[in-house]
Amino acid sequence: MKTIIRTARYVFFLLLMSCLTILLSNCQKGDVLPHVDDDSDRPEWAGGNTDDNTHIKGNDESGTTRGGDYGDLYVLLRDDNGVPTMTWRDLDADSEQDDDEFFVQPIDALGNEIELDQYGEVPEGAPVIEVDFGRLNIVRSPQSVLDQAFEEAMKVIDFGDDFTLDFCGRLSIWNYDLVVTDSLVLTKTIDSPRENMAIYQYLMKYMYENTVENNNANRLAFLDAYQIDALLLAAGCFSAGSDKTGTVDIDEVVYINGFLDCCGLNPIENDYDYDFNHENNYYFNFTEPRLGDAQFQYNRGIYEDRYIQFLVWDNVYYPLNEEGVSEGPVFSIYDIFEGMVEFKGIGAQPQFTYRWNQFSHDKVQGFAIAIDDAVQVLDYVHGDSNIIFLPNYQP
């Protein structure tokens, strides 16, 4: 009897070890994650399978600042269009400027150039500033993910009867209600971060132009008839895709354009700036977005015609009645954010990050400010349930 028991224990031990061996052999990176449904928007390369992610573009050498796909994502010295300035290092000591001897130029928090070493590397301990993309890393998903998101947005956009921009510049779709109100009603505002970044990519590539790349059928060109500026809409879309904290700056905008391959209709070629296939890098031309265009110019006054209502003001509550109407005070977003009225809402008075008289408002700097303004407005209005946006308000 004891022999049988010992034999059974031995067999059980062997079976247990076999199971553990099989389990451990399958515990590769990413395989231990729970099963994902086939219709999930989780990309195939999630969970650590970075070899499948065609959007990851590593450096040719760790820590290099070589002209190429975004270096180590540092804040760089750039011109008015966001094009990086290239710095030469005589790597082979022959006093001749070879194509592979140019590097992007990082700067510190004060805008001072950081001296590169003889190999074009950033010295250890140098005060470089890394660019943080936060939620915007979604743009590094496979292109198929953004394509799917664009099609989802177009399912609603294609059936719209009217189009406007909401309080932060996102696209709002209106349809006629022939049953109840016999008027236009707001059907949807595109609020999905992924869908907004997909629209952003489309606009920054084509604006409203028909091109060979879009089969001479720009799917958003009709928005021009609704007096919606393509680049202002793009700025609103960018804001919807970004984090609601931090400040959007030039480097973040230019890097995102690079990830999305958005160099526009009249791109700028940067000499000695190559990708890892040794092909020239191109950048969006904010000075002349299309041939013959004027430079991009941002005017914060767009918020003078966007109104919000406060349900709580000066410690008084103004509830919505049965018809969804409140008697709370109404102000333009511009007046609230620029301190044109004595603020009596809940919490501290909001304000735009960029002081208007301290920065240029055109080209890539103006575009970055337009995006950041939209981010601040989106964060404020979404963050307070006692604030209502009034799209049809007429003072």
Side-chain angles (χ1 to χ4, degrees):
M1 184 65 180
K2 292 181 178 179
T3 302
I4 294 174
I5 293 174
R6 283 196 299 269
T7 302
R9 288 176 176 174
Y10 181 73
V11 171
F12 176 78
F13 179 77
L14 288 177
L15 289 173
L16 178 61
M17 293 301 295
S18 299
C19 291
L20 287 173
T21 301
I22 294 172
L23 178 62
L24 292 173
S25 66
N26 286 329
C27 267
Q28 298 175 350
K29 187 177 182 181
D31 291 341
V32 295
L33 293 175
H35 175 70
V36 180
D37 294 336
D38 291 338
D39 61 352
S40 170
D41 61 4
R42 177 175 178 266
E44 295 177 358
W45 46 264
N49 299 317
T50 54
D51 290 342
D52 296 330
N53 186 359
T54 59
H55 285 249
I56 289 181
K57 302 176 179 179
N59 295 320
D60 49 359
E61 295 177 8
S62 178
T64 187
T65 50
R66 184 181 305 280
D69 288 352
Y70 326 125
D72 271 344
L73 306 183
Y74 297 143
V75 173
L76 303 177
L77 182 64
R78 301 178 183 275
D79 69 9
D80 290 343
N81 285 296
V83 178
T85 299
M86 308 303 293
T87 297
W88 175 61
R89 284 293 179 271
D90 191 5
L91 300 183
D92 52 14
D94 64 355
S95 299
E96 294 183 3
Q97 295 186 349
D98 300 321
D99 284 358
D100 60 353
E101 294 182 327
F102 287 84
F103 304 84
V104 292
Q105 177 61 64
I107 57 177
D108 63 20
L110 298 177
N112 301 314
E113 297 181 19
I114 295 174
E115 185 72 18
L116 305 179
D117 65 20
Q118 60 180 326
Y119 305 108
E121 305 284 348
V122 174
E124 185 176 354
V128 292
I129 307 170
E130 294 189 11
V131 179
D132 180 21
F133 298 97
R135 192 169 68 180
L136 280 169
N137 273 312
I138 61 175
V139 304
R140 303 173 93 169
S141 305
Q143 183 59 45
S144 59
V145 174
L146 288 176
D147 290 342
Q148 179 183 9
F150 184 78
E151 294 304 326
E152 286 297 317
M154 293 305 299
K155 288 179 181 178
V156 181
I157 295 173
D158 281 340
F159 289 95
D161 294 317
D162 195 14
F163 303 88
T164 59
L165 300 182
D166 80 337
F167 53 87
C168 67
R170 299 174 301 181
L171 185 65
S172 292
I173 299 96
W174 300 70
N175 291 95
Y176 283 106
D177 177 8
L178 302 178
V179 177
V180 179
T181 65
D182 194 28
S183 63
L184 282 168
V185 295
L186 179 61
T187 303
K188 180 179 175 60
T189 294
I190 304 298
D191 56 4
S192 159
R194 185 176 284 110
E195 290 178 16
N196 271 288
M197 291 312 296
I199 295 173
Y200 174 84
Q201 181 186 46
Y202 196 91
L203 289 168
M204 295 302 286
K205 281 188 171 184
Y206 311 124
M207 298 180 70
Y208 293 148
E209 296 297 307
N210 293 326
T211 70
V212 173
E213 288 76 13
N214 61 31
N215 297 316
N216 289 306
N218 190 306
R219 298 177 66 183
L220 295 176
F222 67 91
L223 292 176
D224 192 31
Y226 295 89
Q227 298 183 331
I228 295 177
D229 182 272
L231 293 182
L232 284 181
L233 173 57
C237 290
F238 192 115
S239 75
S242 72
D243 288 335
K244 302 304 177 286
T245 57
T247 301
V248 177
D249 57 23
I250 293 172
D251 288 271
E252 186 174 0
V253 170
V254 177
Y255 282 133
I256 290 298
N257 284 348
F259 294 147
L260 293 173
D261 194 24
C262 292
C263 57
L265 299 166
N266 186 28
I268 298 173
E269 179 181 346
N270 194 25
D271 292 338
Y272 306 112
D273 185 359
Y274 305 102
D275 63 20
F276 289 97
N277 294 318
H278 205 69
E279 296 178 354
N280 283 97
N281 280 325
Y282 291 84
Y283 296 85
F284 193 94
N285 190 342
F286 289 94
T287 299
E288 191 179 12
R290 298 173 298 182
L291 287 174
D293 274 359
Q295 65 185 18
F296 175 78
Q297 187 83 29
Y298 174 57
N299 183 357
R300 189 172 276 166
I302 59 175
Y303 290 102
E304 292 179 348
D305 297 324
R306 298 176 186 176
Y307 293 90
I308 52 177
Q309 184 175 41
F310 290 81
L311 302 184
V312 177
W313 187 262
D314 198 15
N315 294 319
V316 177
Y317 178 50
Y318 300 89
L320 295 170
N321 61 24
E322 294 180 354
E323 298 178 351
V325 178
S326 169
E327 294 183 358
V330 177
F331 303 98
S332 75
I333 292 174
Y334 181 88
D335 285 349
I336 292 295
F337 272 74
E338 289 290 81
M340 307 301 289
V341 297
E342 183 182 358
F343 185 73
K344 297 181 179 180
I346 297 176
Q349 180 164 5
Q351 63 179 6
F352 295 114
T353 304
Y354 288 94
R355 298 295 86 205
W356 191 251
N357 60 353
Q358 297 176 6
F359 295 89
S360 170
H361 317 131
D362 56 20
K363 303 178 186 176
V364 70
Q365 178 67 81
F367 191 66
I369 294 176
I371 295 172
D372 192 73
D373 281 2
V375 169
Q376 306 310 316
V377 172
L378 177 57
D379 180 46
Y380 180 65
V381 176
H382 262 188
D384 191 338
S385 60
N386 293 303
I387 298 175
I388 300 174
F389 175 54
L390 303 178
N392 291 322
Y393 182 78
Q394 296 292 333

